[in-house]
Amino acid sequence: MKANLQNSTDFILLGLITHPAFPGLVFAVVFSIFLVAVTANVVMILLIHMDSRLHTPMYFLLSQLSIMDTVYICITVPKMLQDLLSKEKIISFLGCALQIFLYLTLIGGEFFLLGLMAYDRYVAVCKPLRYPLLMNRKICLFMVVGSWVGGSLDGFMLTPFTMSFPYCRSREINHFFCEIPAVLKLSCVDTSLYETLMYACCVLMLLIPISIISVSYTRILLTVHRMNSAEGRRKAFATCSSHIAVVSIFYGAAFYTNVLPHSYHTPEKDKVVSAFYTILTPMLNPLIYSLRNKDVATALRKVLGRCPSSQRRRVVDLSRKY
């Protein structure tokens, strides 16, 4: 099979663990996380759509984050699960290119969206009277479209260049999906210049949202510090704490991947960090928001409370009918 792959354009994904002793156990753990992540994000999207009290700019942006996380985890994990049960862990050239493009688009879009969510919290805390004007529906739509477009520009720029290099070495990618650094290691030409330019591009993409987040939360902290009301401080902290937790998790992993020099990287570390923000983060985001946000928790209880009552009504109606 390896001899045939040398003359083909297909790749082999070695997986998160190259030779797992218990592939069934790894499959069960990853599948469980995948199921929880998809369910939690879909529930979050439905709650925001169904509950009129959640029809606000903050929750509109949060619903977009859940959409990104749902698509994000579906790009890599199903293929990873398939490979755990299959002897042939092959991914086609086009499949690899599609993974890279979607991964770059969604991670770039999430970078920008988290930055804009910080701006939303800044306006809510520091300029509450102007909030309806500064965060109206058109501006929210512009933010969301801008996040998706900004992310897709990263995908459109980097994917064609990455896949245009000749890959004449082993076709085995030491990863569980087609992440650019792991793919470039298979190239038979020098890619150092391209990697430097890509590094600069990634740092720039990180600096823009991080600058927005830093300025927004600096202003928020100054405003909260001036508040005389302890209740006002508590509400401001509750409003921002979930977003701070999500930002810390996501940007911490992104900082390791995109900013730290090559000397800090090993294939094993890279796979673990990639697994963290491609598998765990999409699961943690909705859980953090649902557990730390009273509005979401109330909406969830309200929906769950409807189910038994609606079932009881059906039983009563049927008994009356017959």
Side-chain angles (χ1 to χ4, degrees), residues 29-43 73 279 282-284 286-287:
V29 171
V30 174
F31 180 73
S32 300
I33 294 171
F34 174 73
L35 199 61
V36 171
V38 172
T39 303
N41 280 293
V42 170
V43 167
I73 198 169
I279 301 173
M283 179 189 73
L284 292 174
L287 294 180

Side-chain angles (χ1 to χ4, degrees), residues 84 210 220 239:
L84 283 168
I210 285 175
I220 287 170
T239 302

Side-chain angles (χ1 to χ4, degrees), residues 57-82:
M58 182 180 81
Y59 292 109
F60 175 67
L61 296 176
L62 180 56
S63 69
Q64 295 300 310
L65 180 66
S66 290
I67 291 171
M68 287 182 179
D69 280 339
T70 304
V71 180
Y72 191 38
I73 198 169
C74 288
I75 293 168
T76 56
V77 173
K79 175 61 179 168
M80 180 184 178
L81 292 171
Q82 179 190 342

Side-chain angles (χ1 to χ4, degrees), residues 44-63:
M44 183 71 75
I45 295 164
L46 292 175
L47 282 177
I48 293 169
H49 176 73
M50 292 167 60
D51 197 313
S52 58
R53 289 174 300 179
L54 302 182
H55 292 175
T56 63
M58 182 180 81
Y59 292 109
F60 175 67
L61 296 176
L62 180 56
S63 69

Side-chain angles (χ1 to χ4, degrees), residues 24-261:
L25 179 61
V26 177
F27 178 91
V29 171
V30 174
F31 180 73
S32 300
I33 294 171
F34 174 73
L35 199 61
V36 171
V38 172
T39 303
N41 280 293
V42 170
V43 167
M44 183 71 75
I45 295 164
L46 292 175
L47 282 177
I48 293 169
H49 176 73
M50 292 167 60
D51 197 313
S52 58
R53 289 174 300 179
L54 302 182
H55 292 175
T56 63
M58 182 180 81
Y59 292 109
F60 175 67
L61 296 176
L62 180 56
S63 69
Q64 295 300 310
L65 180 66
S66 290
I67 291 171
M68 287 182 179
D69 280 339
T70 304
V71 180
Y72 191 38
I73 198 169
C74 288
I75 293 168
T76 56
V77 173
K79 175 61 179 168
M80 180 184 178
L81 292 171
Q82 179 190 342
D83 290 344
L84 283 168
L85 300 178
S86 173
K87 291 183 179 179
E88 294 186 357
K89 303 176 181 182
I90 296 173
I91 184 169
S92 68
F93 183 87
L94 288 177
C96 192
L98 184 62
Q99 263 196 351
I100 290 174
F101 172 75
L102 292 174
Y103 159 75
L104 290 172
T105 296
L106 288 159
I107 199 171
E110 200 155 327
F111 282 158
F112 291 123
L113 187 63
L114 287 171
L116 293 171
M117 288 173 75
Y119 171 77
D120 169 74
R121 295 300 82 214
Y122 156 71
V123 177
V125 174
C126 302
K127 300 181 182 295
L129 297 178
R130 298 186 64 193
Y131 186 78
L133 178 65
L134 295 176
M135 290 298 297
N136 60 50
R137 185 170 181 79
K138 285 185 178 179
I139 291 175
C140 288
L141 286 172
F142 179 77
M143 285 180 169
V144 169
V145 172
S147 297
W148 282 99
V149 171
S152 64
L153 286 175
D154 195 31
F156 278 119
M157 282 192 299
L158 297 181
T159 306
F161 282 109
T162 301
M163 303 312 290
S164 65
F165 287 109
Y167 294 99
C168 51
R169 296 177 186 171
S170 166
R171 310 296 288 188
E172 295 180 343
I173 300 173
N174 190 10
H175 217 297
F176 61 93
F177 76 103
C178 289
E179 193 170 36
I180 290 180
V183 174
L184 289 177
K185 288 177 182 177
L186 307 183
S187 177
C188 50
V189 296
D190 182 19
T191 61
S192 56
L193 177 60
Y194 172 64
E195 288 182 59
T196 302
L197 293 173
M198 185 177 66
Y199 172 83
C201 177
C202 291
V203 169
L204 181 62
M205 282 197 70
L206 275 170
L207 281 177
I208 294 171
I210 285 175
S211 299
I212 295 171
I213 291 168
S214 300
V215 172
S216 296
Y217 277 106
T218 301
R219 299 293 297 272
I220 287 170
L221 287 172
L222 291 172
T223 302
V224 170
H225 179 69
R226 295 193 200 104
M227 287 181 179
N228 296 321
S229 168
E231 180 66 16
R233 290 183 180 183
R234 188 191 64 77
K235 285 183 178 179
F237 179 75
T239 302
C240 301
S241 58
S242 298
H243 184 254
I244 292 171
V246 169
V247 164
S248 301
I249 292 169
F250 189 76
Y251 280 97
F255 182 85
Y256 169 86
T257 303
N258 299 297
V259 177
L260 288 183

